[in-house]
Amino acid sequence: MNQIPEVIRTIPLEYYLFFSTALFAIGVIGVLTRRNAIVIFMCVELMLNAVNILLTALSAYRADATAQVFVFFIMAVAAAEVCVGLAIIVMTYRNIRSTDVQLLNYLKW
C-alpha cells in the first residue's frame, strides 16, 4: 500500500468500480433501447470509456503501467471503430435518409 501515491489513496478503489459499472450499465441500456445509430455508437463509446476508467484505476492502485498500455490500444480501436461506423452511417443516411436502425433490415433484400 505504500507504493500507491497519496492522491490516489484519497478515493477508494470501490468508488472507481461503482462508477465504471454505472457507466457501463448506462451504455448497455442505451445500446439495447435506442434506435438511432449515432446514439448507439455513443453508448458503445461510453462502455469503452467505462472499461478504460477501471483499467486506469486498477493500474494506478497496483503501481503497474501494463493496464495503461491496454487503455492505449482500446482508444486506438475505438477511434478506428468510430471512423468506420460513421462512414457506414453516412452511407446509409444517403441511401434511406434516416439513421433508424430498424430501417436497416430493408437493406438486406
Side-chain angles (χ1 to χ4, degrees):
M1 188 85 175
N2 55 3
Q3 294 178 351
I4 301 172
E6 184 65 33
V7 175
I8 296 172
R9 273 190 269 168
T10 58
I11 301 174
L13 184 61
E14 292 84 18
Y15 290 176
Y16 289 109
L17 180 65
F18 294 144
F19 179 64
S20 64
T21 303
L23 280 179
F24 194 84
I26 290 169
V28 168
I29 290 169
V31 166
L32 295 177
T33 60
R34 299 295 181 168
R35 291 173 44 176
N36 190 346
I38 296 172
V39 175
I40 290 174
F41 275 115
M42 288 181 0
C43 291
V44 169
E45 291 297 321
L46 189 66
M47 290 188 294
L48 289 173
N49 285 330
V51 171
N52 285 342
I53 288 171
L54 187 60
L55 281 174
T56 305
L58 289 173
S59 174
Y61 267 83
R62 290 180 49 102
D64 184 20
T66 306
Q68 292 178 5
V69 174
F70 286 120
V71 169
F72 176 73
F73 285 121
I74 290 171
M75 289 176 139
V77 169
E81 176 235 342
V82 166
C83 292
V84 172
L86 286 178
I88 291 170
I89 289 173
V90 167
M91 290 307 295
T92 56
Y93 184 78
R94 285 184 183 174
N95 288 333
I96 60 176
R97 296 285 181 219
S98 177
T99 58
D100 190 8
V101 179
Q102 296 294 326
L103 295 176
L104 294 178
N105 285 336
Y106 298 125
L107 294 176
K108 287 195 279 186
W109 308 106

